[in-house]
Amino acid sequence: MSSILEMKITEHIESNGNSGELQLKAHSAPIRGELSSAICREARLSRDPRFDGKFFVGVLTTGIYCRNVCPAVAPKEDNVRYFESQVKAAQAGLRPCLRCRPDSAPGSNPWKGTGTTLDRALGLIDAGLLCGEQALTVDELADKLGISGRYLNRLFSEGFGTSPKQYALYRQLLFAKQLLHQTQLPITQVALAAGFNSIRRFNEAFQQRLQLTPTQLRKASLKKAAKMDDIDITTEENCLSAMSSLSHGLTLYQYYRPPLDWSAQLAFYRLRAVAGMEWFTPLDKLNEGAGIMSDAAQHIACEGEAASLEYGRCIAIGKMRAVVQIAHEPSLHRFKLTVMLTADSPLEALQQFIIEVRRILDLDADMQLIEQNLQALSQLNLVPFSGLRIPGAGSLFEAVCRAILGQQVTVVQATKLLNQLVEAYGERFELNGREYRLFPTPETIRGASLSELKMPGARKLALNALAAFICDNADASVDDWLSVKGIGPWTIAYAKLRGLGDPNIFLHSDLIVKKRLLAHYLRHYDKDSVNTSGEDVLKTVDYPQLCQQLGRDIAPWGSYLTFQLWHQV
C-alpha cells in the first residue's frame, strides 16, 4: 500500500476517533460439527498431525484407544470406532495406548471461547478445584457457576457421558500417566502431583480405570528407555539405578497440532522480554564445555533459525516457584520443557503449571480451523500468516499490568517500564546458583509508590487501585475490574487475550488494528465500479457496523484476527 493511502487512513482514524464499543461476542452455534467417519478414517490412515487430539481411535479387537498419529500398524476400519474425547473412549471400556500415549495429545475443547457454562466448568476443573485437599464438591462447583448440581451433572452427561467428578478423576489419571512415562519422579510424588491425597486411592483408581498399576507402567517405560542405553533393569535395584542414569531433570514433552510459527512467537516475546524473568538461550550454548552439540540439538537446530533458540521464563503458582526452558522440536510437532522447581515448591501445583505453559504457548489451538475462518472473511480478503498463535503472558495480573503500562507509548517504552516494575517490586529467588525474578504480586503493587516509573500519576494510581481491588475481591471476574478508575474496555480485553488465552477478543478499537482493517477494506473495495477515490470510500465506512459484522463472522476466533493484523505492522 502506498504511503499516501496510509496517511489517509491515519487521518481518518484521528478525525473520527476510536468509535464503537468493543465487540466480545460468543458464538451460540457449535464451533465445529462432528468430524465424519470418512474424515477420521483419512486422518487416521495418513497420520495427519493436524487432527491430533481432535478425535481418538478405539480399536475394538485390542481394547485400546489411540491418537490418529499412532505409529502402530493401522487396524481395519471394521475394527475401529471414533471418539471425540478420551473420556468417552474410556467410558466405552477402552484403555489408552502405551505406544502413542493419548495423554500427550494436544487438547481439544470445542466449547472454548463460547462462554458457555460447560466451558467455564472445564476451566475450573482444569484449575484443580475438584481434586486435592481443598477439593470442592460438585454442588460447590455448581454454586460457583451459578447453577444447580443436578444441571451441572446433566451438562457433563450430555457432553462426555460421565459426571464432573469422574471427568476430573480421569484427567488426574492421564496426567499421572504422562508423568510416569516422561519423568523419573517416584510414584508417591506422581500421585501427589496429580492431586491424590492417598497413594492407596491413586493405585486403586489407576488400575481400575487404566487397567494396569502405576508400577507396571513405570517399569514398561523404563524398559523401553533402557533398551536404548543397554541397561539391565530386571531387578528393583537395577531399576532404581536406571532411573538415576536416565534422569536429566524434570523433562516433559508437550504436543501441538501444526502449523506453528515459532519464529513469530519468539520475536513477540523477545521484543517485550523482562530481564531476569525471561531469557533466550542458543542451543549451542546448552552443551558449552562439551565441545559439540548433542545429536538431538543438531537435528533440531538444522530445522530453522527459530529452533536454534530456547525460551526460558519464571512462573509462580501459589507457593510454587518454577523455571522452565522451552525448546521447539518442529519435526515432532512438540516442545521439550525442562522444569526446575525450588525445594519448597508443592508438587500438587505441577499440573496447573503445565496447563499455564500450554496456555502461554497456545498449544491447544486448532490452527487449521482458525485459518479457514480467517480466509472466509469476505470483507477483508485476508491471506493469514500461517501458524500465528496467541503469545500468552505469565499470568492474568502480568497481562493487565502490561496493558496499563503500554497505554499511549511504544512497545519499547512499555517494555522499559515493565523492566523497571519487576526490578523494583518483583520477588527474587535462587535456583542452582542463579538468581531469578518473578512478576510482582497484587499484594505488593497495591501499596507501592511506583516512583521508579516515569509515567502519568493517574496510571500509577490505576495500578495501585486495581491491585487493591484484586486483593480485596478474590472471586471477582475480570469484567468486574471495569469498576476501578482508570481501567477501561481495551485494558480488560488485552488482559483476557494474553492472560487467559481467550480466543475471541477482537480488539477493533486498537489503533493499529483499526488502521490495518481499513487498509484491507480499501484493498478489497472495487473503486473502479463506483468511480470514487480511496479517500471518499473511507468517509463512507461505518466502522462500528463493519466491526460488528466481522466480530460475528470470525467468532469465536477474534483473538487470532487481532494478532494477524498486529503482525502486519
Side-chain angles (χ1 to χ4, degrees), residues 272-278 313-314 397-398 401-402 405 414-428 435-441 444-445 450 452-453:
R272 297 160 177 81
V274 176
M277 189 178 80
E278 299 172 276
R313 73 159 294 149
C314 307
F397 186 63
E398 178 186 322
C401 288
R402 285 178 180 269
L405 295 177
T415 303
K416 182 179 179 180
L417 289 171
L418 199 70
N419 273 269
Q420 292 170 345
L421 183 73
V422 175
E423 171 69 23
Y425 302 104
E427 176 190 332
R428 299 166 187 258
E435 184 179 82
Y436 297 96
R437 294 172 187 164
L438 293 170
F439 196 82
T441 62
T444 301
I445 296 301
L450 305 179
E452 301 82 0
L453 307 182

Side-chain angles (χ1 to χ4, degrees), residues 43 126 156 177 233 371 376 399 447 464 473 480 527 562:
D126 284 344
F156 272 81
K177 181 176 178 291
I233 57 170
E371 289 173 8
N464 294 140
N473 301 273
D480 292 334
K527 297 190 294 292
T562 297

Side-chain angles (χ1 to χ4, degrees), residues 190-450:
V190 168
L192 187 64
F196 288 90
N197 301 323
S198 163
I199 187 66
R200 180 179 177 181
R201 169 63 179 146
F202 171 62
N203 285 327
E204 288 176 351
F206 202 95
Q207 185 166 17
Q208 181 182 9
R209 299 302 300 271
L210 302 184
Q211 301 176 33
L212 74 168
T213 67
T215 302
Q216 289 171 332
L217 181 63
R218 168 56 60 78
K219 286 184 176 180
S221 297
L222 284 172
K223 284 180 181 178
K224 184 176 180 180
K227 282 182 181 179
M228 301 173 62
D229 291 338
D230 195 25
I231 298 173
D232 178 16
I233 57 170
T234 55
T235 68
E236 183 176 355
E237 181 179 353
N238 287 337
C239 181
L240 292 173
S241 175
M243 288 174 62
S244 176
S245 65
L246 292 171
S247 177
H248 301 288
L250 188 60
T251 300
L252 288 166
Y253 294 95
Q254 299 298 309
Y255 291 79
Y256 63 86
R257 284 176 290 270
L260 184 146
D261 189 342
W262 184 229
S263 296
Q265 212 157 334
L266 270 179
F268 189 93
Y269 292 137
R270 293 181 77 181
L271 185 59
R272 297 160 177 81
V274 176
M277 189 178 80
E278 299 172 276
W279 57 92
F280 304 86
T281 311
L283 278 176
D284 57 2
K285 296 293 184 184
L286 299 180
N287 292 284
E288 196 169 309
I292 58 172
M293 296 169 64
S294 67
D295 290 341
Q298 291 185 46
H299 173 69
I300 296 168
C302 71
E303 293 190 11
E305 184 180 351
S308 65
L309 283 180
E310 278 197 352
Y311 172 51
R313 73 159 294 149
C314 307
I315 298 176
I317 298 178
K319 295 181 179 179
M320 173 182 276
R321 302 291 179 265
V323 170
V324 59
Q325 287 282 140
I326 301 168
H328 190 208
E329 299 184 356
S331 63
L332 300 173
H333 311 303
R334 72 183 187 186
F335 284 88
K336 176 185 177 182
L337 308 184
T338 303
V339 183
M340 296 181 290
L341 308 176
T342 57
D344 57 348
S345 289
L347 269 178
E348 52 265 35
L350 183 59
Q351 185 171 12
Q352 185 60 30
F353 170 82
I354 296 300
I355 290 172
E356 285 298 289
V357 173
R358 292 192 66 85
R359 174 193 60 78
I360 290 170
L361 300 176
D362 196 19
L363 297 188
D364 293 325
D366 185 350
M367 295 309 301
Q368 182 186 23
L369 176 63
I370 292 167
E371 289 173 8
Q372 286 174 355
N373 279 267
L374 288 168
Q375 289 174 329
L377 295 174
S378 58
Q379 307 95 318
L380 302 183
N381 197 25
L382 182 69
V383 179
F385 295 95
S386 186
L388 200 62
R389 299 180 181 233
I390 302 172
S395 68
L396 181 59
F397 186 63
E398 178 186 322
V400 75
C401 288
R402 285 178 180 269
I404 294 170
L405 295 177
Q407 291 174 9
Q408 299 177 349
V409 297
T410 66
V411 173
V412 173
Q413 290 171 315
T415 303
K416 182 179 179 180
L417 289 171
L418 199 70
N419 273 269
Q420 292 170 345
L421 183 73
V422 175
E423 171 69 23
Y425 302 104
E427 176 190 332
R428 299 166 187 258
F429 68 96
E430 285 194 8
L431 192 59
N432 296 333
R434 179 177 171 181
E435 184 179 82
Y436 297 96
R437 294 172 187 164
L438 293 170
F439 196 82
T441 62
E443 290 78 9
T444 301
I445 296 301
R446 72 178 300 172
S449 68
L450 305 179

